[in-house]
């Protein structure tokens, strides 16, 4: 009878490949040393991954020289107009901003503050600039 018990024990156990200890036959990781003894067998089938990339986006943007696509204005002409005739809005009329030109005309360059700000701002614009 003892041989039957040892045979049943041997069937349900195996030896660890790393530390040599007896472990359960279905064990994948050794409880003694923590090493993986066998490959993990997945019972579920691995799903097939299908990638359908039907990206048909095309760039429809058009490049315009200068980026903005506005009217080209010379920085130094606008600066001279602003410096000498800024209180009546001559530089705003030159840029094509008629409404702001009329406002500058009636408020003496937005009471002088707008005239000073525009004079400084025109110095930092590229030449030519786009309005």
């Amino acid at each position: 009878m003892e041989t039957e018990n040892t045979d049943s024990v041997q069937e349900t156990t195996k030896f660890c490949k790393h530390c040599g200890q007896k472990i359960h036959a279905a064990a994948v990781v050794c409880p003694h040393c923590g090493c993986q003894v066998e490959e993990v067998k997945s019972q579920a089938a691995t799903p097939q991954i299908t990638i359908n990339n039907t990206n048909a986006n095309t760039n429809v943007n058009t490049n315009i020289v200068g980026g903005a696509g506005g009217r080209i204005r010379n920085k130094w002409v606008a600066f001279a107009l602003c410096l000498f005739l800024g209180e009546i809005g001559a530089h705003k009329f030159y840029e094509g901003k008629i409404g702001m030109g009329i406002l500058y005309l009636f408020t003496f360059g937005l009471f002088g503050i707008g005239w000073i700000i525009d004079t400084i701002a025109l110095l930092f614009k590229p030449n030519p600039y786009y309005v």
Side-chain angles (χ1 to χ4, degrees):
M1 280 198 135
E2 288 182 21
T3 37
E4 289 180 17
N5 287 340
T6 55
D7 290 337
S8 65
V9 172
Q10 288 178 353
E11 291 175 7
T12 60
T13 60
K14 63 181 177 183
F15 291 100
C16 175
K17 297 176 184 176
H18 302 282
C19 66
Q21 295 287 329
K22 279 188 178 180
I23 58 174
H24 192 269
V28 178
V29 177
C30 176
H32 301 287
C33 66
C35 294
Q36 186 173 350
V37 181
E38 290 183 15
E39 293 292 323
V40 179
K41 296 178 183 174
S42 176
Q43 294 178 356
T46 306
Q48 294 295 324
I49 299 173
T50 305
I51 299 174
N52 289 327
N53 187 2
T54 57
N55 186 0
N57 292 339
T58 56
N59 186 3
V60 294
N61 298 330
T62 56
N63 291 328
I64 299 172
V65 177
R71 296 178 305 267
I72 297 175
R73 296 293 180 234
N74 190 329
K75 165 186 174 175
W76 298 113
V77 171
F79 178 73
L81 287 172
C82 184
L83 189 63
F84 297 112
L85 300 172
E87 63 273 357
I88 61 171
H91 63 292
K92 293 294 184 183
F93 288 111
Y94 172 71
E95 291 177 347
K97 299 176 181 177
I98 306 300
M100 285 298 291
I102 293 172
L103 181 66
Y104 270 56
L105 184 65
F106 289 122
T107 61
F108 192 68
L110 294 177
F111 307 107
I113 297 170
W115 175 30
I116 294 170
I117 292 172
D118 284 347
T119 306
I120 295 169
L122 279 169
L123 288 175
F124 291 103
K125 289 187 177 182
N127 190 29
Y129 68 99
Y130 297 88
V131 183

